Structure formats: C-alpha cells, structure tokens
Amino acid sequence: MIDFRSDTVTKPTDKMRKAMAGADVGDDVYGDDPTVNRLEKMTAEIMGFESALFTSSGTQANFVALLSHCSRGDEYIVGQDAHTYRYEAGGAAVFGSIQPQPIEFEIDGTLDLLKVSQKIKPDDIHFARTRLLCLENTHAGKVLPLSYLEKAGHFADEHNLKHHLDGARIFNASVQLGVDVKEITQHFDSSTVCLSKGLCAPVGSLVCGKKEFVDEARKWRKMAGGGMRQAGILAAAGVISLSEMVERLGEDHKNALYLSDLLSDIEEIMPPKKTVYTNMVFINMDIEKAMLLADNLKRQGVLITPDSEIRFVIHNDISLDDIRYTVSCIKSFFK
Ligand SMILES: *Cc1c(COP(=O)(O)O)cnc(C)c1O
C-alpha cells in the first residue's frame, strides 16, 4: 500500500531494527537504561534545553508538559485546532483540571497575539489563572515565522505566561527554514518533539525544558503509567531518528512540491500550488467525491483519508514512482 494518510505510518528503517535488536538496556524507572539516558541527553543538547524526557507518544509528552506548567484551576491558551486542544481527548482538562482557552488560528498557523492578550484573565476570584501559551510548529504543515516566535516569546514573558511548543514536527520546520532547531526552541520554556512521524522511529516523543520542569514531568509520566522499563529498545531507534533522519525531511518537502505540481494539471482539483506546506499537500473537493476517490484509490493500493480537504502526507516510505503512480490513478478516476 502507498499510504498518504500520515507520516506516522512510516516503518522503522533496517538500521533502526538492527540498533533496536542490539540495544544496551536497563530499567529506565530506576534511571538505569543507558540508551534512554543517551537519547534524552542527546535530545536536550540538540533542542537547546537543560533536560529531556522520553515518552510513549506526543500526546503523553504534551500532557506531562501541560501538567508540569499548570496546576488545578490554571488555564492554557491554545489554538482551536491545535493537537493539544482538539486531538488529545481533553487530557489536560480531564486529568489535570486545567482549563483550555482556545482561539482560532490565523491562516499562517500563528495565534494573533492581540486576540491572545484579550483572553488573558485578570487576577480575580471569578477567573481561572491564565498560566501558559501553547503554540504548534509545524501546524497543518505550516512553518511559523521566526519573527513571530520571537514576538510571541516576548509577549509571553511580558504577560508572565509560560510558553510551550508542541513541536511534534519541529524538524520539518527547521529543515524547511534551513536553520538550527535552537533558532526555534530558544523562544520557548519547553518543547516536545516526535520521533515516530517523519523521523521514522516506531514509538516515542520527548519533552524538553529546564531540569526542574523535566523532573516534574517525569513524575506525571509515571502517574500516567508511562514509566517504561527496558525502553532502550525503543530509544535506540530514536537515536538514529535524530542523528540520521533529520536532513532527509527535506526530500519529503521536495517530493510534496513535485506531487503538488503534478496535481495542478488535473482540472477537477482546485489548484493545490498555494497549499503545499513542508511534507503535506492539501486538495479540496466535496466530501462525496472524496469518498469515491478514496474507495477507488484503495482498490489500486493507495490510501488517503477522505475529507473535504484531503491531506497527502509525504514521508520516507513514499517514492517519486509512488507519487507518479498515484497521480495517474487520480487522473483516470476523473476520466
Ligand atoms: C502527531 C502529533 C502529536 C502527537 O501525537 P501522538 O500520536 O500522540 O504521538 C502532537 N502534536 C501534533 C501537532 C501532532 O501532529
């Protein structure tokens, strides 16, 4: 199957499987797993933070970050379609008693800081305590401008807010901008990063920040049942993700442009040119047609999620031939 549904579908590389099989391991709850320790140290260094914590998923990484920054009765400001609001089953509210204050994203994936300032609650018994601003980079494939991140960082400081980045695809952003990832993270108190998307590891994310913050996050992770034992088996793949798979993301971005170019020859599809973002290409069509297209493609070995906005996600397991084949299938569908 050629699977465009997400970059989460990537399989671990042969090198990862070998490294996993031979990984040096210990009990990570005792802090004894050398491979986990190595991955955490390496991630903290690369991301420019004091410390990092390996988690089972990006959801768990964001969850422990939110609970470490905020307490019961606190509030975080977040995008309406942000993963940390919409796609994490309300975990921060359910388990953390933290109130989200969602705000519509701007078209470029930023949150308008004026709108954010209007939602910050005054110190008053009626209100939750606004504690945290949470951004996402990339958001729906869009890279947040560095100038915006700098402004948002100052804004958070001025308003005495902590500043968290959901950086599930942060390396797609840094590779696209051609900058060191620290250029992005320097404006945040904490950031997550996902190893199991474009970076191809089978499992795992990390959350980074100051040492005390990560110590606190480690306690929440344990409470959430995320204290893993010989997790070095998983971390071994993550080490390869960070050391060898980051620059490769540029290929995905190039291939996404290629797909977009080929699709723009198809009249029935709204020209996708303007909607290429890093490793994602979006096309619009009505939902009934999208369902028919998804069915049709599936029979020919191509997977997409039918939607009024169909998302093609490019990743390590999709080649240029796969892209050409898919476009020919879409062309014959419309014929
Ligand atoms: C994928 C993703 C996450 C984490 O998801 P998991 O499936 O829990 O690893 C977090 N934020 C964003 C923006 C994501 O795309």
Side-chain angles (χ1 to χ4, degrees):
M1 286 306 230
I2 304 170
D3 196 341
F4 288 97
R5 291 172 303 168
S6 178
D7 44 11
T8 54
V9 303
T10 45
K11 305 265 167 55
T13 62
D14 289 341
K15 196 159 177 190
M16 284 178 178
R17 288 175 188 271
K18 286 205 186 82
M20 292 171 80
D24 204 0
V25 296
D27 188 331
D28 181 50
V29 174
Y30 289 113
D32 286 349
D33 191 300
T35 311
V36 171
N37 293 343
R38 182 170 161 220
L39 175 66
E40 289 181 344
K41 185 155 180 279
M42 173 181 178
T43 306
E45 273 167 24
I46 291 172
M47 298 278 284
F49 289 97
E50 269 175 28
S51 203
L53 175 73
F54 187 45
T55 60
S56 62
S57 67
T59 298
Q60 190 178 63
N62 283 321
F63 174 68
V64 299
L66 292 171
L67 268 67
S68 300
H69 282 307
C70 301
S71 319
R72 186 175 190 211
D74 289 351
E75 172 182 83
Y76 67 109
I77 297 180
V78 62
Q80 189 71 249
D81 302 313
H83 207 279
T84 42
Y85 174 59
R86 185 162 179 175
Y87 296 97
E88 297 183 1
V94 175
F95 296 116
S97 304
I98 306 164
Q99 164 173 288
Q101 167 62 67
I103 294 179
E104 288 298 335
F105 277 114
E106 301 305 303
I107 199 87
D108 63 356
T110 62
L111 293 179
D112 181 332
L113 297 176
L114 181 62
K115 289 183 193 161
V116 173
S117 71
Q118 287 161 350
K119 293 297 181 192
I120 296 175
K121 318 276 182 292
D123 182 7
D124 179 300
I125 54 163
H126 291 88
F127 303 123
R129 288 172 296 258
T130 311
R131 275 275 190 268
L132 177 73
L133 175 62
C134 185
L135 297 176
E136 187 172 299
N137 197 11
T138 59
H139 169 65
K142 294 172 224 177
V143 179
L144 305 194
L146 289 175
S147 57
Y148 170 78
L149 296 183
E150 186 178 353
K151 266 190 225 132
H154 289 311
F155 173 92
D157 289 343
E158 276 159 26
H159 292 84
N160 220 3
L161 301 178
K162 294 288 181 200
H163 198 197
H164 174 70
L165 181 66
D166 177 354
R169 295 191 181 86
I170 193 170
F171 286 109
N172 291 90
S174 68
V175 166
Q176 180 74 18
L177 293 171
V179 301
D180 190 298
V181 73
K182 294 186 197 75
E183 298 281 316
I184 297 172
T185 56
Q186 63 174 327
H187 304 296
F188 295 90
D189 295 304
S190 58
S191 176
T192 55
V193 55
C194 189
L195 305 175
S196 67
K197 292 191 167 161
L199 300 182
C200 299
V203 175
S205 280
L206 292 104
V207 55
C208 311
K210 279 212 161 34
K211 185 176 175 305
E212 305 100 79
F213 165 84
V214 170
D215 288 347
E216 181 73 6
R218 195 176 294 278
K219 191 195 71 182
W220 289 117
R221 185 189 69 170
K222 187 79 181 86
M223 195 187 288
M228 297 181 283
R229 301 296 181 177
Q230 285 72 36
I233 301 270
L234 302 172
V239 168
I240 294 175
S241 290
L242 290 180
S243 55
E244 296 181 29
M245 303 302 282
V246 170
E247 289 310 314
R248 199 208 57 78
L249 295 172
E251 294 286 308
D252 295 342
H253 301 176
K254 233 172 46 200
N255 292 352
L257 271 173
Y258 180 65
L259 170 62
S260 164
D261 275 348
L262 295 185
L263 288 174
S264 62
D265 287 345
I266 304 174
E267 235 173 77
E268 291 84 351
I269 293 177
M270 292 214 197
K273 262 259 148 64
K274 284 188 237 80
T275 52
V276 182
Y277 304 112
T278 55
N279 64 332
M280 298 181 192
V281 180
F282 295 88
I283 60 173
N284 296 301
M285 65 179 67
D286 66 61
I287 183 74
E288 278 89 46
K289 189 158 271 177
M291 308 258 264
L292 289 175
L293 176 63
D295 263 2
N296 181 286
L297 290 180
K298 193 170 180 183
R299 273 181 268 118
Q300 301 179 79
V302 177
L303 292 179
I304 57 170
T305 305
D307 198 350
S308 55
E309 186 179 57
I310 297 176
R311 183 180 83 156
F312 289 85
V313 185
I314 309 297
H315 52 73
N316 191 42
D317 297 344
I318 290 187
S319 67
L320 284 175
D321 276 345
D322 294 339
I323 289 174
R324 286 189 279 265
Y325 170 73
T326 301
V327 171
S328 74
C329 294
I330 296 174
K331 278 188 176 152
S332 43
F333 170 80
F334 282 111
K335 270 194 199 125

